[in-house]
Amino acid sequence: MTPAKELIVPSESTIPSARAFVRSLNVLFKYTRLYGLDHARSTAQLDLTWHELCEAVTATGGDGLLLGASGSQLLLDGVPLESTPAERSFAQLLNGASVASICFHRNVERNEFVTLVKAFTESSPKTSTLSDRLEQYFGKHSVSGIRVNEIRFVAEDAGFSEARVAAQLTAKTLSADADRIEDWFRSPEKMIQLIAAAEGAHGGSGKGSGGGGGSGAGQATGEGTGQSTGSAAGAGPGAGPGAGSGALQPMSEADMQSLLRLLAQFGEATAAHASHPHELDAKAWQQKLASLPQNAQGTLRQALASVASQTPSAKVDEAMLLRLAEDLAIRFALDRFQRGEVRVNAVRQMLDKMGHELETLRKLLKAREDKMAAAGLSVESHADVLDRQFWAAVPESGKRAVLTSGEAWCIPPRNVQQYIEELMGRGESEAAADILLKYASCVRNKDAEARRKAAIGLGQLAELYSKAASQRLQDALLQIGQQLAAEKDAELQTLLSAAFVRLSQESAARRYYRAMQQALDSLADLEELRPTWADSLRPRVGVGNRVAEFIEEALTAEAMPEGLVGVLMRVPQASAEHLAVRLARSGRRSERECIVDLAKTVGSACARHLKEVLKSEPPAKAATVVGLLSRLDPVGVADVLPERLRHGGRGFHDAIVRQLSIAGAPERGQLLSAMMEKLDPVVLPQALDEIGMCGDPATASKLLRLAEGETLPEGAEYLRVKAIEALGRMRAAAAVGHLRQFVESRKAFGWVHPEEIRLAAAQALMKLDREWIEEFLPKSGLDTKVMALAPLDPIPERDVVRHRRYRRIRLQRSVPAIVTSSRGKYSSVISVLSLEGGLLSGDIQLAVGTEATLKIPAGLRSINMQAVVRFVRSHQAGFETVSMGLEDRAKLRRLLVSLGGPDPAVLRSPTGE
């Protein structure tokens, strides 16, 4: 095949007839393969195709017709044809033969055309390959009107005369057809020809910058069947021997900057050409291209060839120029990095310098992107594209070497994240964790810029640390904490604080308690040096406001999470308050004891803080800590609580009694007994029940004095009943004689004590002196059915924190009730009732803690009682009886028996169950 390079510019009149020829030629090839060239169909198709070829060549004005292929795209004089399956298969056929183009000259003869058809359609196993046949028929020494061409890169030698031919053709075209200049500057393939023309027009020798024949960059030629196209894909600007057909000498940084600067200027010129078409001077650009160093020209030529090969329809616009320039810069930086000429931090500086050269292209593209964004189109940002592309091109070994070195901070966080995720995807978790730990250690770097970038990166990689380096998170926080204490720069202090807070929050969210311990320890160390700064960081770390979650999860876990106690010990105040609140909500004894054990493990600081809260905080908050404090420091409660009760209201007293009841401290009976005179009368019945349930015999004497009326002489008779019931619950043997007197004392007409007092004493004697009461009961005048409704004892084997005081009866029929409170009067019904309280149903608008009066119709006179609302549900409210007259209580007891009370046989049970 002849080595001359054809350069044809298509015209509008050429294209229709030429396209018809291409379709006919494709059909002719298929017919010839199927039937042979002598078949009637093939002969007819040959005549038609030859006729259309002649018309197409004539339409070009004698310049010839150029049929080419790029990828899967057929090109007619450089213009893409429709991409139908037929055209794509024809293009693949040309690519398979390493044919870039076929040029049909005006002197083409029919027999030459027939030879071309035979070369493409011969399929005998004995025949040579298509490339060999083309070389045989249309080789360099053959004279023919058909030339088969290929664009490739060859070392320049005496054959450089071809470049002069290309230069002459290009220059002639550009000067003869100025209106089509823009097409030349928009096509990668024709840009390659323009570069070659610039070399030829200015007497380029083809030598590389390093000197020596054959070592310079080759040019794009139209020769070379039998050799593959010299694609520049993967051949970087600094590629060594073997990169492409002709090796390029490594460029200097100055040469690369010159090349990038030229591309930026070219982008400006093409952008300006849209509004001022006559300002694009082809000759001036030929001169600028010729002024580039030879290795820079070759590098640019290779890059354009790569674009043309990979994307046949690519246009040289601002976006393509920017991508091209960025690719050149990245390959240049990568080549120098791999050869060890620069370190990774110097690579970043070099990229920054080259980035300045690309600023013009970015601005041009930004203006176009702004227009696209205004139209609602999504546009990729080019802010960090150089760095991202450089990292993507670094080999695996290079990435790991950098990330495990002291220069890991140089790598942008997104690149670190990408590599870590790749490692995790391959199961290399340990390697990923080690890299993240090394990255965190960069905050201790002596260089301020390194510390700044590492601190910023840690904030962005915090979530990755919690996923990939949970075991290293503690060490990472240690590194940051140490630098926090040592850092002097105000800006770096802020950045380090943000990274520290972010990693601490991730530790808390992921429940890495060891890492949280380290974060709190670092804050404690910082507090000694900079207390104000530590105080500002502590609430942001996210441990204190998550203590309640930690405690809840610990209570539901099978085993205590490792490290949790250490975290709670480091925040004793928050731990103490949350544990106290959680204990007040406990419903099971086992759960309560777990909370108490956890509080004891936290240490004495927990008890000291709770005592301080009880002493100085408002009543509402002080009441919440009494229960837990009674388990940790009952003596402290006894010291502080009496004074607080003196100034607290009824609600505070009620909360204190309920807290002590839930906590279940063995000393609670003595605590309640000691403050009996200070408690509100409405709350005192509940306290007496709890003293009895506690079973502490040390409180019996005071209960007995209350039952006799010596203590609180002005108190209601209802309190005396409660005291007697408490004596029976605690099995106070010393009270037996006094209880007998309550039961058997008579006067002239009846009994000395009211029925409820006698009944409560008899029920207590059933637990203390059963033989005597069973003997006396027939002559006591007490109804055994009514007596069966006795107070209940605590049942130790039940896992509850508050045992039921009285038997609860689900009534066979609902009982009407009138509820009167400060908010008004309501009609309701009672479906569940006991001597302790019951359940109201209906349209009730009562809040928890509301005091109300209940009237239950029972005969001629209603049963009246004072109650407190304990819980509210949808159309329901639970109430607890706090006071009532003894006659009302006797009527209530009989009502309960009549509506489904217990069988008298329960008297045989010591507990009354």
Side-chain angles (χ1 to χ4, degrees):
M1 293 181 285
T2 56
K5 176 189 288 187
E6 286 296 331
L7 203 109
I8 311 243
V9 181
S11 63
E12 295 299 327
S13 61
T14 306
I15 295 175
S17 57
R19 285 179 174 171
F21 161 70
V22 172
R23 287 193 294 268
S24 297
L25 180 62
N26 193 22
V27 174
L28 175 61
F29 282 168
K30 292 182 179 179
Y31 280 179
T32 305
R33 289 195 190 95
L34 288 174
Y35 310 114
L37 196 55
D38 297 330
H39 193 274
R41 284 193 176 184
S42 302
T43 302
Q45 187 64 35
L46 176 63
D47 294 338
L48 175 62
T49 307
W50 169 248
H51 177 70
E52 291 175 345
L53 173 59
C54 294
E55 287 185 353
V57 172
T58 303
T60 63
D63 291 329
L65 181 68
L66 185 67
L67 176 63
S70 180
S72 61
Q73 181 72 60
L74 271 182
L75 304 174
L76 189 61
D77 286 344
V79 178
L81 297 178
E82 298 88 349
S83 184
T84 65
E87 277 71 26
R88 286 196 296 269
S89 65
F90 193 13
Q92 291 170 1
L93 176 64
L94 294 177
N95 288 329
S98 300
V99 175
S101 63
I102 303 174
C103 182
F104 299 92
H105 292 281
R106 61 181 177 179
N107 60 340
V108 62
E109 297 180 359
R110 181 183 176 96
N111 63 331
E112 294 173 341
F113 179 64
V114 172
T115 301
L116 179 69
V117 174
K118 289 181 178 180
F120 272 93
T121 57
E122 287 179 359
S123 59
S124 173
K126 296 182 180 180
T127 58
S128 57
T129 62
L130 176 58
S131 297
D132 293 338
R133 294 195 298 272
L134 292 173
E135 177 67 24
Q136 177 184 355
Y137 298 140
F138 306 100
K140 293 183 178 180
H141 303 291
S142 64
V143 179
S144 174
I146 298 177
R147 185 179 304 139
V148 179
N149 300 318
E150 175 187 37
I151 295 178
R152 64 185 179 88
F153 300 111
V154 296
E156 294 193 41
D157 50 21
F160 185 72
S161 59
E162 298 171 3
R164 297 188 180 92
V165 176
Q168 293 170 2
L169 291 172
T170 302
K172 180 180 178 181
T173 301
L174 292 176
S175 60
D177 196 357
D179 292 337
R180 308 189 62 80
I181 291 177
E182 183 179 0
D183 292 340
W184 282 85
F185 286 90
R186 291 297 187 187
S187 169
E189 293 181 347
K190 293 181 180 178
M191 279 290 294
I192 294 172
Q193 297 178 10
L194 184 63
I195 295 171
E199 289 180 341
H202 291 77
S205 65
K207 305 298 182 189
S209 60
S215 64
Q219 74 232 12
T221 71
E223 65 176 16
T225 58
Q227 295 189 33
S228 59
T229 302
S231 171
S245 301
L248 297 175
Q249 292 296 324
M251 285 199 300
S252 67
E253 188 172 338
D255 290 345
M256 176 53 68
Q257 286 184 294
S258 297
L259 177 56
L260 298 179
R261 192 177 304 115
L262 180 65
L263 289 175
Q265 293 171 357
F266 186 77
E268 283 185 306
T270 53
H273 176 68
S275 55
H276 302 85
H278 298 292
E279 291 185 2
L280 192 60
D281 189 344
K283 291 184 178 180
W285 280 105
Q286 281 183 299
Q287 293 175 355
K288 290 184 178 182
L289 288 169
S291 65
L292 281 177
Q294 292 298 318
N295 53 0
Q297 292 182 15
T299 297
L300 178 58
R301 198 162 47 231
Q302 283 187 346
L304 288 169
S306 178
V307 171
S309 173
Q310 295 173 6
T311 312
S313 59
K315 296 295 182 183
V316 185
D317 57 7
E318 293 86 347
M320 196 273 265
L321 283 173
L322 179 58
R323 288 194 296 271
L324 182 66
E326 287 171 345
D327 184 62
L328 290 171
I330 292 307
R331 292 182 181 279
F332 176 76
L334 180 63
D335 181 66
R336 295 197 65 189
F337 175 73
Q338 290 177 331
R339 291 202 306 268
E341 295 180 7
V342 292
R343 301 176 67 182
V344 68
N345 56 344
V347 168
R348 290 181 60 85
Q349 295 173 2
M350 183 168 55
L351 290 175
D352 288 341
K353 291 179 183 177
M354 291 188 287
H356 290 308
E357 302 296 341
L358 304 182
E359 191 64 27
T360 300
L361 285 173
R362 286 203 181 96
K363 289 179 179 178
L364 291 173
L365 185 61
K366 183 67 167 56
R368 192 164 63 91
E369 288 177 349
D370 290 343
K371 294 179 181 178
M372 295 173 66
L377 301 176
S378 177
V379 181
E380 180 186 2
S381 173
H382 286 74
D384 300 318
V385 70
L386 277 182
D387 196 60
R388 174 172 53 82
Q389 291 180 352
F390 169 76
W391 180 253
V394 174
E396 167 79 13
S397 59
K399 291 178 179 178
R400 186 167 297 199
V402 171
L403 290 176
T404 54
S405 71
E407 296 182 349
W409 60 271
C410 297
I411 308 303
R414 64 175 180 276
N415 295 340
V416 178
Q417 180 172 355
Q418 178 187 5
Y419 185 66
I420 293 299
E421 289 174 349
E422 290 176 4
L423 289 178
M424 293 177 63
R426 300 199 300 259
E428 300 182 43
S429 300
E430 285 297 317
D434 290 339
I435 288 174
L436 288 175
L437 180 58
K438 190 66 178 180
Y439 190 90
S441 69
C442 292
V443 298
R444 304 281 289 158
N445 197 296
K446 294 180 180 179
D447 182 46
E449 180 64 14
R451 298 198 301 274
R452 187 183 72 84
K453 291 188 176 181
I456 294 173
L458 285 172
Q460 298 177 21
L461 296 173
E463 186 175 355
L464 190 63
Y465 271 85
S466 66
K467 292 179 180 178
S470 58
Q471 301 303 318
R472 311 294 199 281
L473 202 51
Q474 181 177 357
D475 296 328
L477 283 166
L478 174 62
Q479 298 277 1
I480 304 174
Q482 290 174 346
Q483 189 59 35
L484 277 173
E487 188 58 61
K488 304 299 183 183
D489 186 274
E491 180 187 359
L492 289 177
Q493 288 176 357
T494 302
L495 293 175
L496 287 169
S497 299
F500 183 80
V501 168
R502 189 71 181 85
L503 288 179
S504 300
Q505 290 175 344
E506 280 295 323
S507 301
R510 301 278 181 174
R511 305 300 190 259
Y512 298 142
Y513 295 114
R514 294 292 185 189
M516 281 186 272
Q517 288 182 34
Q518 181 58 60
L520 295 171
D521 287 343
S522 296
L523 281 177
D525 295 339
L526 184 63
E527 194 167 19
E528 296 180 2
L529 301 172
R530 301 170 182 174
T532 305
W533 190 12
D535 290 341
S536 67
L537 285 178
R538 196 175 297 278
R540 295 165 53 199
V541 164
V543 175
N545 56 3
R546 288 180 179 265
V547 170
E549 300 175 23
F550 300 160
I551 293 172
E552 197 65 38
E553 292 169 9
L555 295 178
T556 57
E558 296 182 359
M560 185 65 64
E562 182 181 1
L564 173 59
V565 173
V567 173
L568 298 181
M569 291 176 67
R570 286 162 172 79
V571 284
Q573 296 183 1
S575 300
E577 293 182 15
H578 286 296
L579 285 168
V581 171
R582 184 62 183 83
L583 183 139
R585 295 190 289 106
S586 299
R588 295 182 290 111
R589 186 175 66 250
S590 57
E591 183 180 66
R592 178 191 67 192
E593 295 306 312
C594 182
I595 295 172
V596 172
D597 292 341
L598 193 56
K600 290 179 178 178
T601 306
V602 172
S604 58
C606 180
R608 285 198 301 271
H609 178 68
L610 293 178
K611 185 176 180 180
E612 188 61 32
V613 171
L614 178 61
K615 184 186 298 184
S616 57
E617 293 293 338
K621 184 174 183 179
T624 62
V625 305
V626 169
L628 183 57
L629 186 59
S630 70
R631 297 296 303 271
L632 302 178
D633 185 11
V635 176
V637 175
D639 293 341
V640 177
L641 194 54
E643 183 64 24
R644 293 306 308 264
L645 288 173
R646 184 177 292 111
H647 302 288
R650 180 179 294 176
F652 178 68
H653 291 194
D654 182 74
I656 292 296
V657 174
R658 291 178 67 79
Q659 283 275 330
L660 292 173
S661 175
I662 292 172
E667 301 85 357
R668 67 187 185 280
Q670 296 182 36
L671 290 172
L672 291 170
S673 177
M675 55 188 182
M676 191 180 296
E677 292 83 354
K678 299 180 178 64
L679 288 173
D680 190 277
V682 173
V683 180
L684 190 54
Q686 182 186 183
L688 293 172
D689 280 344
E690 190 58 37
I691 293 173
M693 299 296 281
C694 178
D696 188 350
T699 61
S701 58
K702 194 165 187 177
L703 288 175
L704 188 56
R705 291 197 300 274
L706 177 58
E708 294 284 0
E710 297 176 6
T711 302
L712 300 175
E714 298 180 359
E717 292 285 317
Y718 183 69
L719 297 178
R720 297 180 62 192
V721 173
K722 286 289 184 178
I724 293 171
E725 291 178 345
L727 290 168
R729 282 192 175 109
M730 70 175 54
R731 308 299 194 270
V736 170
H738 298 275
L739 295 176
R740 287 179 181 177
Q741 291 180 9
F742 287 136
V743 176
E744 63 184 1
S745 296
R746 300 180 67 93
K747 57 183 179 180
F749 301 100
W751 305 94
V752 173
H753 298 285
E755 179 183 354
E756 271 300 299
I757 292 180
R758 294 183 65 238
L759 188 60
Q763 290 170 335
L765 287 170
M766 288 295 295
K767 303 171 183 179
L768 294 169
D769 192 356
R770 192 178 185 85
E771 292 182 2
W772 183 89
I773 192 62
E774 287 181 345
E775 181 182 351
F776 181 77
L777 198 57
K779 52 187 177 182
S780 65
L782 297 174
D783 188 343
T784 56
K785 291 183 179 181
V786 175
M787 189 174 172
L789 201 62
L792 300 178
D793 292 338
I795 305 175
E797 59 271 20
R798 287 189 177 175
D799 189 18
V800 295
V801 296
R802 297 189 76 221
H803 296 271
R804 191 167 295 154
R805 271 67 169 164
Y806 299 92
R807 183 182 298 278
R808 184 178 60 184
I809 298 173
R810 190 171 296 278
L811 305 179
Q812 298 176 355
R813 58 180 176 82
S814 297
V815 175
I818 304 298
V819 182
T820 304
S821 70
S822 59
R823 301 189 60 178
K825 183 181 293 187
Y826 306 94
S827 296
S828 179
V829 294
I830 301 176
S831 55
V832 178
L833 189 61
S834 73
L835 291 175
E836 183 180 19
L839 182 65
L840 294 169
S841 300
D843 186 13
I844 304 170
Q845 300 178 7
L846 298 173
V848 175
T850 301
E851 297 177 22
T853 300
L854 269 69
K855 289 187 177 182
I856 303 174
L860 297 177
R861 185 172 174 273
S862 298
I863 302 172
N864 295 290
M865 65 181 74
Q866 298 296 316
V868 175
V869 177
R870 291 300 182 195
F871 66 86
V872 177
R873 291 196 292 259
S874 177
H875 301 292
Q876 288 185 332
F879 68 91
E880 180 179 354
T881 304
V882 295
S883 180
M884 63 190 310
L886 295 187
E887 186 177 348
D888 289 317
R889 196 168 196 261
K891 293 177 67 176
L892 176 61
R893 189 188 296 270
R894 287 193 290 271
L895 175 64
L896 290 171
V897 171
S898 67
L899 294 177
D903 190 273
V906 298
L907 290 174
R908 293 193 294 269
S909 171
T911 63
E913 283 284 357

